[in-house]
Amino acid sequence: MENFEILYKNLLDFSWQQGVMIAIGCLLVYLAIVKEMEPSLLLPMGFGAILVNIPFSDALVGPIQTLYNAGIANELFPLLLFIGIGAMIDFGPLLTNPKLMLFGAAAQFGIFFTLCMASMFFPDFRDFFSIAIIGAADGPTSIAVANKLGSQYVGAITVAAYSYMALVPVIQPPVIKLLTTKKERMIRMPYEQKSVSKRTRILFPIIITIVVSAIIPQATALIGFLMFGNLIRECGVLNSLSDTAQNVLANLITIFLGISVAFNMTAEKFLQVDTLVIMGLGLVAFIVDTAGGVLFAKLLNLFLKKKINPMIGAAGISAFPMSGRIVHKMALKEDPQNFLLMHSIGVNVSGQIASVIAGGIILNIAANLMGG
Amino acid sequence: MTMLTEAAVNLEFNPMAFVDNLKYMGIGMLVIFVIIGVIILTTKIVSALPTKE
């Protein structure tokens, strides 16, 4: 009988908390495969959550911990992923109308509102600053900032950031509808096709890097790696590297990032009331981001002769390109001849830049609080 | 259950913290608009420069 002990001994070591975490892991895998919600991240995270919650798992204190220390604890993976994201982004629609960047700035309001909200529940500023950055709607920025600040909630913050990014098509439309009238949603914005010179495309990432880094040195790595990727794309002499950054590099890092985030998804770290509160605050962040962008556009309309469709303000969150497409689809639903795609995508890429700047601002304020 | 109870104790509810931290909201939004403003201005200047293309 003793020989059979090996068959059931480990099963008896399962706690109900580990069971719940494995169920959460399976749910993430389900959402990734069946609902196609951010599958490239949710699937590795979900499977990783299963791996680390098996009692005495050699995957946790072994490859996953090694990957975590190698790439997340030092923010390397998010930064490398930014090279790939930068190489994927075409700033053309934004460069034809740079004023669109204002909406990217306005839609970061959710970050700072959530900072205040989170401070009511979490006394440590490193935690409530990190939770606020969920509102960046940008996974790599959330991971990088939370890690840099040394928050104990990196796992929950990452899961919240990616889950809500996947849920943007569900979260944004009701908020936009609530804050706009049908007449406003039907405002047409003809797109004036302007050519953007190669020089402007090349100088843009360099200018952004210098301006942002000079004002907020804490954002240099985040904005620098994003813009480095974009420069590889736009310079015209590194097509092979650009292709590698957009595909091979981004895919490899996404796999490693997703599975190593699971290091923080063990039952004892994740299954806490705090996690539920963080998930709730993440939802608040996304809603207020959307509202901030829409209300800012409505505010501008009070002074503009040529009215803006306020829905494009909602695309200022960084969830690229989902948010831009949602606004475009909503406009088409109201008026089949209203094509907002170029405007909304322009605002959406500006949200990518603005969210990184917001991350840098958070780090800057935190550095001052820590005394340097 | 113990885990949940312990975690709940870690949380606190301090409504005044919202007001105390409003200054960061003001600073953050101001800085972000200033930086974006500088970027818009610089981009417009670069775009306006004559080009051979």
Side-chain angles (χ1 to χ4, degrees), chain A residues 16-17 95 98 101-102 105-106 108-109 112-113 116-117 119-123 197-200 203-204 207-208 211 215-216 267-268 271-274 277 354 357 361 365 369, chain B residues 1-4 7-8 10-18 21-22 24-25 27-29 31-40 42-44 46-51 53:
Chain A
W16 68 267
Q17 290 95 338
L95 291 170
M101 271 190 256
L102 289 172
Q108 307 311 313
F109 182 61
F112 298 102
F113 182 81
C116 296
M117 288 287 288
S119 70
M120 294 195 294
F121 302 96
F122 297 89
S197 70
K198 189 176 173 186
R199 184 187 57 195
T200 306
L203 286 177
F204 184 70
I207 290 169
I208 297 253
V211 170
I215 301 173
I216 324 166
E268 65 266 26
L271 212 58
Q272 301 179 356
V273 176
D274 309 39
V277 177
I357 296 173
I361 294 170
I365 298 172
L369 288 175
Chain B
M1 200 60 206
T2 320
M3 192 187 301
L4 288 176
N10 288 336
L11 284 175
E12 61 171 46
F13 184 65
N14 173 17
M16 279 315 290
F18 186 96
N21 289 297
L22 275 177
Y24 298 126
M25 187 193 287
I27 294 168
M29 290 311 288
V31 174
I32 206 164
F33 270 104
V34 168
I35 295 176
I36 291 289
V38 174
I39 292 171
I40 292 173
T42 321
T43 309
K44 285 210 164 212
V46 171
S47 304
L49 292 174
T51 172
E53 288 174 39

Side-chain angles (χ1 to χ4, degrees), chain A residues 66-79 143 147 257 260:
Chain A
T66 306
L67 275 174
Y68 183 86
N69 290 334
I72 294 193
N74 53 19
E75 299 111 43
L76 185 65
F77 286 166
L79 293 175
I143 296 170
N147 253 306
L257 187 73
S260 46

